[in-house]
Amino acid sequence: MARILETDMAYATQILTSHDTFAARVERAIDGLRHWRAQRAEFTKIYNELASMTDRDLADIGISHGQIREIAEQAAAAV
């Protein structure tokens, strides 16, 4: 039981001594939103570009229409 209390106290100490201001939390939230928007823009760009290609063009680069979403998701995750 003493070990649990030590852990709880360490956690409580971290919370109480945190210098994370409201402005810093807002800034992190905005940065997260910007990152999400950049990923979404990359997904949309890649998806639209591949979706506009003909079956023959896609076959030339070794992909099929069924792979377009997965490829666009992988590209977005790399941003």
Side-chain angles (χ1 to χ4, degrees):
M1 178 132 183
R3 184 161 173 79
I4 293 172
L5 291 176
E6 289 173 11
T7 304
D8 290 343
M9 289 303 294
Y11 180 71
T13 303
Q14 287 176 347
I15 292 172
L16 295 175
T17 60
S18 176
H19 298 298
D20 196 17
T21 64
F22 177 73
R25 288 184 296 216
V26 170
E27 186 175 344
R28 275 198 318 274
I30 291 170
D31 289 343
L33 181 61
R34 285 183 181 136
H35 185 249
W36 177 82
R37 289 180 67 191
Q39 286 182 317
R40 188 67 189 164
E42 183 69 9
F43 172 87
T44 302
K45 180 183 107 183
I46 298 297
Y47 185 90
N48 289 340
E49 186 175 327
L50 292 175
S52 70
M53 297 175 84
T54 65
D55 287 335
R56 183 179 180 116
D57 291 336
L58 290 172
D60 285 345
I61 59 174
I63 63 173
S64 68
H65 276 285
Q67 296 173 300
I68 292 175
R69 178 172 294 280
E70 180 182 350
I71 292 168
E73 287 172 350
Q74 289 173 355
V79 170

